[in-house]
Amino acid sequence: MASPAGCEHYVRSCLLKAPCCGKLYVCRLCHDAEENHQMDRFRVREVQCSECQTVQQAQQTCQQCNVQFGEYYCDICHLFDKDKKQYHCQPCGICRIGPREKYFHCEKCNLCLAQDLLGNHKCVENVSRQNCPVCMEDIHTSRIGAHVLPCGHLLHKTCFDDMVRTGAYRCPLCMHSAWSMEDHWDQIDKEIAQSPMPTEYQGATVKIICNDCQAHCTVPFHVLGMKCSSCGSYNTPPWAKVRVTMCQDCVKAFLARGSNNAFSPGISAV
């Protein structure tokens, strides 16, 4: 809690006087964890020096003992912290970790993005104003970094890492592949070539919708996956549920050959 070093969230030498309840906390996050309401950072007007305990107008340096409350101070967000090259983004309405020159504000996404995404990302209007589709927590004001998917949707970086670890490869919102899958598609090509369907199914086809290119096409059916004829993706659910009845030995053989594949339709054994 209170100390000259600040708290687990920020390094600072003052306490904020919460405008909602008048209590003193190191930061809004500490306040929100203890109270049944949230502190509005923009309405903070007073702070208490952690060194001399003088309550005073929010400012960067104590008017009594001259201790610096934070290497960085924003008089809009009332953010005190050590220097992390922060900057206040007016369109975002909050402070971001910089340096500023490495980021730009996308007007349509309404979010600061890394410069390498300038002209190189798919815009989704006000994308950060939606909650993370994995944890359902706020993205725009989160202290956890955001990960931009190829489809333009956002996840918390930690949530994206969890997705990767669990083998989930699609955007939870639109089902587009969450990263480049070409190597995996090549591996499925090889598995299919090595695992021909039983004779009675070799001419079977299925209508699919590609989650990556949105193409609707009719392609050869295979238990290990259906390849989009437009872009080569296996991120291709069928238009309708596919039910294939096969003997148990066939099912076991195919599942053993495709044990690393997560793209198969439902199969029932008889």
Side-chain angles (χ1 to χ4, degrees):
M1 288 295 294
S3 75
C7 62
E8 62 179 299
H9 308 109
Y10 301 104
V11 177
R12 57 180 56 165
S13 297
C14 67
L15 304 173
L16 306 182
K17 185 175 180 180
C20 42
C21 58
K23 297 180 182 179
L24 295 168
Y25 283 94
V26 178
C27 77
R28 63 182 178 86
L29 300 173
C30 293
H31 168 279
D32 294 352
E34 294 291 329
E35 305 294 340
N36 61 2
H37 57 277
Q38 294 185 329
M39 180 193 296
D40 183 347
R41 73 183 87 178
F42 304 106
R43 293 180 57 226
V44 171
R45 295 293 177 265
E46 293 182 301
V47 299
Q48 181 186 72
C49 177
S50 297
E51 292 291 333
C52 68
Q53 282 70 58
T54 301
V55 177
Q56 57 200 277
Q57 180 181 342
Q59 54 196 311
Q60 189 167 15
T61 304
C62 177
Q63 65 185 26
Q64 184 67 27
C65 68
N66 293 320
V67 70
Q68 188 180 65
F69 294 148
E71 293 175 346
Y72 174 82
Y73 171 59
C74 173
D75 61 3
I76 299 174
C77 298
H78 303 297
L79 172 65
F80 302 86
D81 200 6
K82 67 179 179 181
D83 184 12
K84 300 173 185 174
K85 307 299 182 185
Q86 300 97 321
Y87 65 96
H88 183 86
C89 175
Q90 196 65 40
C92 280
I94 57 174
C95 291
R96 300 289 190 191
I97 295 178
R100 183 190 292 268
E101 58 270 17
K102 289 190 176 182
Y103 296 88
F104 73 100
H105 185 87
C106 176
E107 296 296 333
K108 185 171 182 179
C109 294
N110 202 6
L111 177 71
C112 287
L113 299 171
Q115 282 287 351
D116 59 4
L117 292 175
L118 183 61
N120 189 34
H121 72 286
K122 183 176 181 179
C123 288
V124 176
E125 192 168 0
N126 291 323
V127 64
S128 71
R129 269 54 173 188
Q130 306 170 23
N131 287 342
C132 172
V134 175
C135 68
M136 300 308 296
E137 297 291 336
D138 176 63
I139 290 180
H140 186 72
T141 63
S142 176
R143 298 178 71 247
I144 302 172
H147 181 85
V148 184
L149 299 178
C151 56
H153 292 124
L154 298 182
L155 308 175
H156 288 124
K157 181 63 168 62
T158 50
C159 293
F160 175 76
D161 292 342
D162 288 342
M163 270 182 49
V164 173
R165 280 192 291 270
T166 59
Y169 73 100
R170 293 182 289 201
C171 170
L173 293 175
C174 68
M175 307 304 287
H176 191 284
S177 294
W179 60 85
S180 175
M181 298 291 291
E182 279 81 3
D183 290 344
H184 196 70
W185 303 155
D186 289 344
Q187 180 61 34
I188 298 177
D189 282 341
K190 294 175 183 177
E191 292 177 358
I192 288 177
Q194 295 168 6
S195 308
M197 291 291 288
T199 304
E200 60 268 36
Y201 296 109
Q202 287 185 2
T205 60
V206 63
K207 294 181 179 180
I208 57 96
I209 305 172
C210 180
N211 284 327
D212 289 340
C213 73
Q214 307 306 311
H216 293 224
C217 43
T218 301
V219 299
F221 170 78
H222 198 285
V223 71
L224 297 182
M226 279 76 71
K227 184 174 184 176
C228 175
S229 58
S230 178
C231 71
S233 170
Y234 280 95
N235 184 4
T236 53
W239 286 9
K241 184 176 181 180
V242 177
R243 184 177 179 86
V244 181
T245 302
M246 302 175 68
C247 69
Q248 282 190 333
D249 288 341
C250 290
V251 171
K252 290 178 181 178
F254 278 114
L255 292 182
R257 296 294 291 272
S259 59
N260 294 323
N261 175 41
F263 313 97
S264 303
I267 306 170
S268 63
V270 294

